[in-house]
Amino acid sequence: MKVTKRKFGMLSDGTKVSLFTVSNGRMSFSCTDYGATLTSIVLDNKNGTKTDVLLGFSTLEGYLNTKFCFGSVVGRFANRIGGASFVLNGKKYTLDKNDGPNTLHGGFDGYDKMMWKGTAVKEDDCSGVIFSRVSPDGEQGFPGNLNLTVTYLLDKKNNLTCRYTATTDSATPINITNHAYFNLAGKGSIKNHTMRMNSGHILEVSPKLIPTGNLTDVSGTPFDFRTEKEIGKDIDSVKPGYDHCYVTEMYNPQKIRTSVPLDDSDLVEFCTVREPSSGREMSVFTNLEGCQFYTANFIKGIVGKNGTVYQNHDAFCLETQAFPDTPNHENFPTCVLEPGQEMRSVTVYSFKI
């Protein structure tokens, strides 16, 4: 297992930005301390040809100038908060309205545009990078000084583990995820990728994509992936494409979680995605109740890696997370981190041919 570090560029204030690359000899990934961003995942196909299966940019400038969070960590609250506000312990907090009347991915000053401290790490049979930063009280409008770490680890079995931990000195909502855009063929439409999900429900949402508080059974709808099918089979009936939070098997309606995840040792398998021409397969495991399935519905015309012009539906995102708008829904598993607790959430992307 090998970790290398090199210069990736420089910010306008002179801050140096680094790029880390981690390899196990058969698979590698790269990440940068700008946005704690995953910039590439390079895999063999069934013929032994290596391909980068992440959309993104060849240079730092691409990440500086995009609003689409390619491969980046998003927070303090990923996804949407309705009305750009919430009440916690009797006090109302007002956030950025950067998605119509709502807050998306933390607001205008997202974690994807912030510098993190990156350090190479080795754990047992894994190697990787740990990123850390302090999100100060009041940043993005959220309460509490939040100590955050994001760790990316690669093992010899081609498992990429994304581990998120946090502590706070004041109660605060928290919902951290990675916004990687995957294409297991490396380019082109992902409509021919097949997917199978262990999920029978999605969150019902308003026209502005804010949860109503109810769950919707996927049976007999375009959202049903319990039997493997092509992503593109029903996508035209879900305009402009999929952008919905699926409920994982971590959710138990009889025992709603009353604290943020404090143990990352118990995971469920959420889904498996396959790409027929390359033979690549990716499975997703998590200890969170939600996963936003998004089919890159608005990336048309973006110039990405090696000058490739991306089109809508050229990628899919699987953003494991707390339910969107949780701060405004008492019936959802809580997202509030309390002083004295350590949030521990984890997602594993497992790759094979």
Side-chain angles (χ1 to χ4, degrees):
M1 303 289 288
K2 183 179 181 182
V3 182
T4 60
K5 178 182 177 181
R6 66 178 178 85
K7 184 178 179 181
F8 192 45
M10 186 177 295
L11 303 184
S12 59
D13 64 1
T15 301
K16 295 179 180 178
V17 179
S18 298
L19 186 74
F20 299 82
T21 299
V22 184
S23 175
N24 65 8
R26 297 183 299 119
M27 169 183 166
S28 68
F29 76 90
S30 295
C31 54
T32 175
D33 43 14
Y34 181 74
T37 300
L38 290 171
T39 60
S40 71
I41 296 175
V42 178
L43 300 167
D44 286 338
N45 67 5
K46 60 188 178 183
N47 299 316
T49 301
K50 293 187 181 299
T51 300
D52 185 356
V53 299
L54 279 190
L55 271 63
F57 304 96
S58 302
T59 65
L60 174 62
E61 284 68 29
Y63 294 98
L64 294 175
N65 296 315
T66 185
K67 64 178 182 179
F68 291 98
C69 304
F70 284 89
S72 299
V73 167
V74 290
R76 182 174 303 192
F77 196 92
N79 214 313
R80 293 170 174 85
I81 294 180
S85 67
F86 63 92
V87 175
L88 178 61
N89 295 331
K91 180 178 179 180
K92 183 176 181 179
Y93 293 87
T94 301
L95 312 173
D96 293 338
K97 294 182 178 179
N98 68 324
D99 182 53
N102 308 310
T103 300
L104 177 63
H105 297 328
F108 294 115
D109 298 316
Y111 287 176
D112 60 308
K113 300 299 184 188
M114 297 178 182
M115 284 296 298
W116 297 65
K117 180 182 178 181
T119 306
V121 294
K122 184 173 179 59
E123 297 184 10
D124 299 327
D125 63 343
C126 303
S127 292
V129 183
I130 181 169
F131 295 105
S132 62
R133 73 176 299 267
V134 176
S135 175
D137 178 53
E139 185 175 70
Q140 301 174 330
F142 290 92
N145 294 294
L146 191 71
N147 289 279
L148 285 163
T149 69
V150 176
T151 307
Y152 301 130
L153 292 170
L154 178 64
D155 67 17
K156 296 178 181 179
K157 296 181 179 179
N158 287 3
N159 295 311
L160 174 57
T161 298
C162 305
R163 184 182 299 152
Y164 309 92
T165 69
T167 59
T168 183
D169 60 4
S170 183
T172 185
I174 182 171
N175 188 21
I176 310 296
T177 193
N178 185 283
H179 207 300
Y181 289 71
F182 296 97
N183 184 315
L184 297 183
K187 62 181 179 180
S189 173
I190 48 85
K191 290 182 179 180
N192 73 325
H193 288 50
T194 65
M195 174 178 281
R196 178 188 58 79
M197 286 187 187
N198 296 319
S199 176
H201 294 84
I202 59 173
L203 296 190
E204 180 184 77
V205 293
S206 72
K208 294 292 185 180
L209 302 181
I210 302 301
T212 64
N214 300 319
L215 306 186
T216 298
D217 191 325
V218 300
S219 300
T221 75
F223 302 100
D224 193 347
F225 285 89
R226 290 173 296 178
T227 299
E228 185 175 11
K229 68 177 181 180
E230 289 189 342
I231 290 174
K233 180 179 179 181
D234 299 313
I235 198 170
D236 289 340
S237 61
V238 189
K239 296 185 182 301
Y242 294 98
D243 190 8
H244 298 80
C245 186
Y246 281 77
V247 180
T248 79
E249 292 180 332
M250 286 299 297
Y251 178 72
N252 182 351
Q254 307 305 318
K255 189 178 180 181
I256 301 296
R257 180 169 47 75
T258 57
S259 70
V260 295
L262 305 175
D263 180 2
D264 60 9
S265 63
D266 185 21
L267 307 181
V268 296
E269 182 178 358
F270 171 65
C271 73
T272 296
V273 185
R274 297 184 177 91
E275 198 287 308
S277 64
S278 67
R280 295 189 183 96
E281 177 181 307
M282 182 181 87
S283 296
V284 180
F285 301 82
T286 186
N287 69 338
L288 298 174
E289 286 91 351
C291 185
Q292 191 82 4
F293 173 45
Y294 174 57
T295 47
N297 305 325
F298 303 105
I299 64 170
K300 183 177 181 180
I302 293 175
V303 180
K305 293 176 181 177
N306 303 311
T308 301
V309 180
Y310 296 142
Q311 304 298 325
N312 294 342
H313 308 149
D314 273 3
F316 62 91
C317 303
L318 292 165
E319 305 159 58
T320 56
Q321 59 189 257
F323 290 165
D325 200 33
T326 287
N328 294 313
H329 294 273
E330 292 184 356
N331 62 316
F332 285 177
T334 189
C335 66
V336 176
L337 176 65
E338 300 282 354
Q341 296 178 333
E342 182 183 49
M343 184 206 73
R344 298 179 63 86
S345 69
V346 66
T347 297
V348 178
Y349 300 112
S350 181
F351 298 93
K352 59 185 178 182
I353 306 300

